[in-house]
Amino acid sequence: QVQLLESGGGLVQAGGSLRLACAASGFTFSSYTMGWFRLPPGEEREFVASIIWSGSRTDYADSVKGRFTISRDNTKNTVYLQLNSLKPEDTAVYYCSKRSRPFYYTSDVGRPESYDSWGLGTQVTVSS
């Protein structure tokens, strides 16, 4: 079965950095677009970033563009999210997700409905 396990969250000061990782198993990782979403406290789930199967194309939410970097290592079945210049509004549970169809890319990468599997999340807290 599909398993996604996030790690790397923690408490940091504004302006600091974290590196999140998502270890994937149970499917052919190199065939799928992977995404990161987040759930801020008291708010709705929102798209953060995605990366296609080969790693050659990435997409970012405007709110994180220039600060966050998504990457993947298909030899390790792992997708990463580098969080730099963190702001208090970045505080959220961050979730790793898998696109529902292999070798598939459309402009709706930011829609949760485009993904069919989710990790349990890792908490990122940014203090002022």
Side-chain angles (χ1 to χ4, degrees), residues 29-59:
F29 179 77
S30 60
S31 299
Y32 286 84
T33 290
M34 301 296 294
W36 287 94
F37 289 75
R38 66 187 183 186
L39 182 63
E43 300 183 22
E44 296 182 347
R45 179 174 52 182
E46 63 182 3
F47 171 74
V48 177
S50 68
I51 184 167
I52 69 166
W53 52 93
S54 65
S56 62
R57 179 176 179 134
T58 58
D59 291 273

Side-chain angles (χ1 to χ4, degrees), residues 2-96:
V2 173
Q3 294 188 60
L4 302 172
L5 180 61
E6 302 95 336
S7 62
L11 173 64
V12 297
Q13 297 288 316
S17 298
L18 286 171
R19 186 175 187 247
L20 309 184
C22 171
S25 61
F27 65 101
T28 305
F29 179 77
S30 60
S31 299
Y32 286 84
T33 290
M34 301 296 294
W36 287 94
F37 289 75
R38 66 187 183 186
L39 182 63
E43 300 183 22
E44 296 182 347
R45 179 174 52 182
E46 63 182 3
F47 171 74
V48 177
S50 68
I51 184 167
I52 69 166
W53 52 93
S54 65
S56 62
R57 179 176 179 134
T58 58
D59 291 273
Y60 296 92
D62 288 342
S63 59
V64 308
K65 199 171 299 179
R67 300 188 298 121
F68 293 6
T69 303
I70 189 171
S71 62
R72 66 191 298 159
D73 186 342
N74 286 346
T75 70
K76 300 184 185 300
N77 285 0
T78 302
V79 61
Y80 304 92
L81 187 67
Q82 180 68 42
L83 316 178
N84 294 331
S85 301
L86 282 163
K87 306 174 181 179
E89 51 262 44
D90 295 319
T91 294
V93 178
Y94 283 71
Y95 296 92
C96 176

